[in-house]
Amino acid sequence: MGKTVKITVLVDNEAPENLAKEHGFSAWIETDEYRILFDTGQLGALLTNAEKLGVDLSTADKLVFSHGHYDHTGQLPAFLEKNSKAHIYCCPQLRIGRYSCKIGTAPRFIGMPEASIKALASISAGRIHETSCPRYLTTKVGMTGPVPRDVPLEDTGGPFFLDDHRGVDDLIEDDQSMWFETDNGLLILLGCCHAGLVNTVEYIRRISGIQKIHGIIGGMHLVNADEKRLNYTFEHLKAWNPDFLSPCHCTGQSATACMLEAIGSDIVKPGHAGLVIEA
Ligand SMILES: [Zn+2]
Ligand SMILES: [Zn+2]
């Protein structure tokens, strides 16, 4: 059977010398039916790397947002300048105001930038699809919508609040991931995975009815995870027995090193801009 999906990482915190890197994430997806942009990154890496990697953003049929953080939504205006046809898929809470409030440092606005909110408001409502539940784009391409948070150990992974004074927790309910049903099992694409890796993967297995995990790529947001959560996550990763794991973006260098040690370099292939996966 032939390959049915090709994923190219466009933006990541890591990149080889010939590509731009930044704190952010974006991936380009090609299937039999569609070209899909998943997130836009934060700054200029999207346009630079798309050009260098031969990706024509004007041909995207769809843009899927994993969640509303600035490092995933920042280049929406640049994308819309190149593309006037793509339909946009996101969870309803994409545009809400949100902050990172680390104790001892000034609160930081980390929501969708003003320019991106404006750009989104400028396109016809018929092109924007808010997803409050799982949904298929084709018979083999799905997106989760909001992910139930069943695992007590898996919090959102940071000091995230809906205000700038640590008043109301931001549960980042808009966090969603995508999956692709391939001949080798599920290929799962994560943005930041604030819903938690175990919550997300188990939910996708449940929705799709497919148990075999072919591979997982994207931000796993383990950057602030303690040892207990890391071990819990690694036990699940091992039990799923994937063919590969490509932690990217916000997984965190030390969590990635621990994952390499726990699961091995045969399976764990840390991601970077320019990485191509076909399945
Ligand atoms: Zn995030
Ligand atoms: Zn992120």
Side-chain angles (χ1 to χ4, degrees):
M1 295 276 269
K3 312 260 189 209
T4 51
V5 59
K6 178 180 175 186
I7 297 178
T8 304
V9 176
L10 291 180
V11 179
D12 188 54
N13 298 40
E14 302 294 336
E17 251 173 45
N18 61 325
L19 295 176
K21 64 176 171 180
E22 67 181 35
H23 176 75
F25 191 72
S26 173
W28 179 251
I29 302 155
E30 293 162 80
T31 74
D32 295 342
E33 284 170 77
Y34 295 125
R35 293 173 174 201
I36 305 165
L37 182 67
F38 179 72
D39 290 345
T40 69
Q42 179 193 171
L43 301 167
L46 177 73
L47 295 188
T48 304
N49 292 349
E51 193 173 332
K52 287 190 172 162
L53 294 165
V55 166
D56 183 355
L57 296 172
S58 73
T59 64
D61 305 291
K62 298 173 189 300
L63 165 60
V64 176
F65 278 120
S66 67
H67 65 306
H69 277 157
Y70 70 104
D71 52 328
H72 297 254
T73 58
Q75 288 297 299
L76 178 62
F79 171 75
L80 291 177
E81 257 173 47
K82 292 205 172 284
N83 185 306
S84 53
K85 65 167 187 177
H87 282 237
I88 296 178
Y89 297 79
C90 60
C91 294
Q93 303 87 348
L94 187 79
R95 308 168 188 76
I96 59 174
R98 48 196 7 161
Y99 297 81
S100 170
C101 306
K102 269 189 200 144
I103 289 173
T105 61
R108 207 158 54 90
F109 178 80
I110 57 168
M112 196 172 186
E114 200 57 49
S116 295
I117 292 177
K118 245 170 130 177
L120 194 58
S122 74
I123 65 175
S124 71
R127 275 172 61 197
I128 302 175
H129 308 271
E130 293 190 342
T131 50
S132 301
C133 58
R135 140 170 216 163
Y136 276 90
L137 290 175
T138 78
T139 52
K140 292 183 184 305
V141 178
M143 54 191 165
T144 59
V147 175
R149 313 293 170 91
D150 296 328
V151 177
L153 270 177
E154 294 193 315
D155 60 17
T156 55
F160 301 128
F161 293 89
L162 293 177
D163 55 65
D164 61 2
H165 51 273
R166 304 181 72 87
V168 184
D169 286 325
D170 181 3
L171 300 178
I172 316 182
E173 287 172 48
D174 49 322
D175 176 82
Q176 68 167 344
S177 299
M178 293 187 74
W179 77 89
F180 307 88
E181 301 179 5
T182 79
D183 294 341
N184 300 316
L186 295 169
L187 174 58
I188 293 177
L189 176 63
L190 314 163
C192 268
C193 206
H194 291 293
L197 196 55
V198 177
N199 280 330
T200 297
V201 172
E202 289 298 351
Y203 190 49
I204 290 172
R205 293 171 101 192
R206 224 155 60 223
I207 301 162
S208 67
I210 298 170
Q211 299 306 308
K212 168 82 184 109
I213 308 292
H214 174 47
I216 305 175
I217 175 170
M220 301 182 184
H221 210 89
L222 296 169
V223 63
N224 297 315
D226 61 14
E227 205 184 324
K228 204 168 159 199
R229 177 169 173 184
L230 285 182
N231 290 336
Y232 179 85
T233 304
F234 297 160
E235 286 313 310
H236 280 80
L237 284 173
K238 282 186 219 164
W240 293 328
N241 195 23
D243 300 311
F244 74 90
L245 298 166
S246 283
C248 300
H249 179 43
C250 55
T251 307
Q253 283 179 348
S254 108
T256 300
C258 294
M259 193 184 298
L260 270 162
E261 199 179 304
I263 301 171
S265 58
D266 286 350
I267 304 292
V268 181
K269 314 274 183 200
H272 54 81
L275 176 69
V276 175
I277 284 172
E278 288 184 87

